[in-house]
Amino acid sequence: MFYGRINFEDLNLPLVITDEGLFGTSSYLRPFRHRLLFSEILISKNRIAIFNSERFSDEPDGLLGEKFVPDESIDDRIKHYHLRFLDFSSIIINKDAETFSCHSSSVVYAPFFLKHDPDGVSIDWDYQRLLKDTDAGIAWDVVLTQIQGIMPYGHRTVIEGVVRTTAGAILTASKNGIKTELPLPVHFSPPFDQIDSTGIERHFTDALEALLDARPLENRRTAVELSGGMDSALSAMVAKNLLGHGLLSITAQFNGAMGVAQQERCATLIQAGGFDNLSLPAVRLAPFGETSLRRVRYGVMPEDESYPEIFEESLSVAKAVGVDTLISGLGGDELYVIYEDEGGNGSGKKNSDCPFLTETGLHYARDIHISYPTGWLAESCWYSSASRSQRLLRHGIWPVYPYQNLKLAQFISRLPYQYRRDRNILRKSISMLLKNDMYEKSYIKETFDPVAMRGIRENKFYLMDLVERSRIANHPYINKDNIISAVQQDFEEMDRDTYNYLFQTLKVLCFFQ
């Protein structure tokens, strides 16, 4: 949540503090400014600390000013921010050591990126701006694991020499490089066999509402995502109960039988929530088209699983009508941990072999993967919210992910299996709020696949040319001919695994075009 440049030669020199941030002879550091955030600066004999954090409803926004404190107070302050369970980040400058460290919360909605060079470090929450006018190197180990369908979360990115802040970790930058201190893994306590189930759904929705109410949200400045799925349905209805009717809702409308079913669910939600709905036709905003951000070098990180073509348009409208906050159902899928001995759950399905990697490439991609320490949130929550937040912050919109909260995750993890199985507590909670049990019945789940397939089909000549000239596709571990063949293939004859690998591979190639 910072933007700037820190040169090592400035670290032991006086720094100027203004309403915009910290400034040195050739260095500057600006926190991301937003109505839902505040910043504070602490100064000790040897260190300067700048914090940027979500704020509670009763806290002021903006820069709170600087305070002179004993050195140990800075460490105590870091612990205090972790106990708030809101998103925050901080940069601590050690003047004597001529280093600085970056700290992040364990939910890390919006990470920032660091690009090291011999003179200092460039810092930015916007990787597109950070990489502008550069010829970025490729982190081959990360790229090949992503093409294989393994999405490793960590400080490493697909860009060689560019790292990002991650959940609960500390990055320390010096003239010699950037070192990482990972958090300790959490240990899940066994779930309860039985609980008093009286009002359990009400407890769940009250907790979600309290998490939203803790923030200074305003009706006219808040939008909700409404995909038609369960996660966004519940977060949107909880937001409506807190903030009232008239919230802007954002929907991407799909075609076919799936689209009809989705539209019926969304119509029920819009009527029940009294939302002012903005619906965009997904098929008109398929990926890889001429106006797609994926055609822009460094435009969309490969692990971004959302739909930038759709969201770019919807967020532009949201910003135009005064929205500065988006409440998302992101992370709801991952909230309901299933333990290995429950419901026949084993080690899970292993990835099949990606047809676009050579035999050597397959072995390399499988062997190189290193897992992040286990946290209360799933890795997919962290990297999905990180990618999506980039787009939101560029529009001046702050994301709120109510499901991505440590206390809520701990609460759900202890529930007996029957509440977590098939997300039953979520289904029953929506039924309670809607007075409609449509989510407790079988329904056609929305999927982006048909739109993505259309985007590949309609832009196959662009994509074939992209593959031909790509420095990634020409790597000896990549089977370029198989990629080109798949782009031209009839998707009705393609198995789902091959399609998934193709879409992921094309996203990687687009990023480095």
Side-chain angles (χ1 to χ4, degrees), residues 44-155:
S44 71
K45 179 180 179 181
N46 295 319
R47 293 192 289 175
I48 298 177
I50 181 168
F51 296 87
N52 198 20
S53 174
E54 286 189 293
R55 67 183 181 95
F56 289 113
S57 298
D58 59 353
E59 294 177 322
D61 64 350
L63 180 63
L64 303 187
E66 68 269 20
K67 296 179 181 177
F68 293 89
V69 298
D71 200 58
E72 61 271 14
S73 294
I74 291 178
D75 296 319
D76 292 340
R77 196 61 174 165
I78 295 171
K79 295 175 184 177
H80 166 77
Y81 275 100
H82 277 293
L83 292 174
R84 288 162 58 92
F85 299 108
L86 296 177
D87 191 22
F88 83 92
S89 58
S90 66
I91 293 181
I92 317 295
I93 295 173
N94 189 316
K95 295 183 287 185
D96 287 347
E98 295 186 354
T99 64
F100 67 89
S101 58
C102 306
H103 301 248
S104 291
S105 73
S106 295
V107 294
V108 66
Y109 287 178
F112 56 94
F113 297 79
L114 295 90
K115 187 173 181 289
H116 185 279
D117 60 61
D119 296 324
V121 179
S122 297
I123 300 166
D124 208 328
W125 52 263
D126 184 346
Y127 58 77
Q128 194 174 10
R129 181 170 55 190
L130 181 68
L131 298 173
K132 185 180 180 181
D133 300 326
T134 66
D135 190 15
I138 298 169
W140 287 106
D141 53 342
V142 181
V143 163
L144 291 169
T145 55
Q146 288 198 6
I147 289 175
Q148 169 52 33
I150 303 168
M151 305 300 288
Y153 177 74
H155 68 285

Side-chain angles (χ1 to χ4, degrees), residues 283 285-289 295 448-463 491 503 506:
V283 72
L285 296 164
F288 309 118
R295 288 210 184 191
F448 187 61
D449 291 356
V451 177
M453 291 175 184
R454 175 171 177 165
I456 297 172
R457 185 168 55 248
E458 291 182 346
N459 298 283
K460 69 177 181 179
F461 295 113
Y462 159 75
L463 293 170
F491 284 107
F503 190 40
L506 293 174

Side-chain angles (χ1 to χ4, degrees), residues 483-510:
I483 304 175
I484 294 175
S485 176
V487 170
Q488 302 175 81
Q489 190 175 334
D490 186 344
F491 284 107
E492 293 181 359
E493 300 176 0
M494 182 181 292
D495 64 88
R496 182 170 178 77
D497 283 348
T498 300
Y499 154 71
N500 285 332
Y501 285 130
L502 177 62
F503 190 40
Q504 178 61 26
T505 301
L506 293 174
K507 290 193 292 182
V508 173
L509 269 54
C510 280

Side-chain angles (χ1 to χ4, degrees), residues 289-364:
E290 291 184 3
T291 60
S292 170
L293 263 183
R294 295 202 190 275
R295 288 210 184 191
V296 178
R297 196 179 199 191
Y298 314 134
V300 183
M301 275 280 189
E303 63 261 38
D304 188 340
E305 65 175 15
S306 57
Y307 329 129
E309 296 81 8
I310 298 172
F311 279 107
E312 280 297 318
E313 301 305 321
S314 60
L315 295 178
S316 294
V317 174
K319 180 180 179 180
V321 298
V323 166
D324 68 4
T325 309
L326 178 68
I327 297 174
S328 170
L330 192 70
D333 281 341
E334 295 88 349
L335 191 60
Y336 308 93
V337 58
I338 301 297
Y339 297 89
E340 289 192 2
D341 59 346
E342 293 178 330
N345 184 53
S347 58
K349 179 185 175 183
K350 293 184 178 179
N351 284 7
S352 59
D353 291 341
C354 174
F356 311 126
L357 292 175
T358 64
E359 194 67 31
T360 305
L362 285 168
H363 287 299
Y364 178 83

Side-chain angles (χ1 to χ4, degrees), residues 369-381:
H369 171 54
I370 300 175
S371 296
Y372 201 75
T374 304
W376 289 109
L377 302 180
E379 289 187 17
S380 54
C381 288

